[in-house]
Amino acid sequence: MHIRLRLPADLDACVEALAQVQAADRYPVDWPGDPGGWLTPSDLTSAWVAVEDGAVLGHVGLTRDAEIVRLFVTPAARGRGLAARLLDTVRATTPGPLKLEVSSEGTAAIALYERTGWRHTGTTRGRWLNAAGEPALLHHYTSP
């Protein structure tokens, strides 16, 4: 398995991987009308993919304000430390602290962040609805 910068040619494979994640975990809660655009927000500066045998197994993005976004690992690739490796890749290329937010529904992600030393800095309500149809409860973290 290899982690590298995402190339424009990877976007279709990233959308396919995201579809697997959405079917398993409902992340994102609602399938975006333009999933490629959702994976490429306007403030994105870089994105990385984890690739094995030509398939995208994971993805992570970084915004201008040092926020981790669009982190996911396909269900078949979980349990191999891939999410932590993606986070470490971003941290190795970015000076200073990073931040991220995660919905309270992302219990596995929250466990990963806390296990790997990310510090919980607050909780807010999102502007989007969670699976229960309520404003999402978002936990904010800063890198170790």
Side-chain angles (χ1 to χ4, degrees):
M1 197 253 314
H2 176 68
I3 296 176
R4 61 170 171 75
L5 283 170
R6 186 183 86 188
L7 304 172
D10 295 323
L11 200 52
D12 287 343
C14 291
V15 169
E16 289 176 23
L18 181 63
Q20 294 171 34
V21 171
Q22 208 270 343
D25 304 324
R26 223 167 150 208
Y27 174 79
V29 173
D30 297 309
W31 186 252
D34 176 12
W38 187 84
L39 286 168
T40 312
S42 62
D43 59 346
L44 189 76
T45 59
S46 300
W48 293 262
V49 290
V51 180
E52 185 174 71
D53 298 327
V56 170
L57 304 180
H59 179 277
V60 65
L62 180 68
T63 68
R64 257 190 265 10
D65 62 346
E67 183 173 3
I68 299 283
V69 295
R70 312 312 193 239
L71 172 62
F72 61 86
V73 174
T74 61
R78 293 179 186 163
R80 298 168 53 184
L82 187 51
R85 285 185 59 196
L86 285 162
L87 287 170
D88 288 346
T89 298
V90 178
R91 288 182 60 209
T93 63
T94 308
L98 299 171
K99 60 186 175 181
L100 59 80
E101 65 181 30
V102 58
S103 168
S104 62
E105 296 173 306
T107 55
I110 291 168
L112 167 71
Y113 304 142
E114 293 182 356
R115 185 174 61 247
T116 56
W118 287 70
R119 186 173 49 90
H120 183 253
T121 58
T123 302
T124 60
R125 287 282 176 186
R127 290 180 283 193
W128 51 275
L129 302 180
N130 63 18
E134 301 169 342
L137 187 62
L138 301 176
H139 300 294
H140 304 270
Y141 286 84
T142 300
S143 62

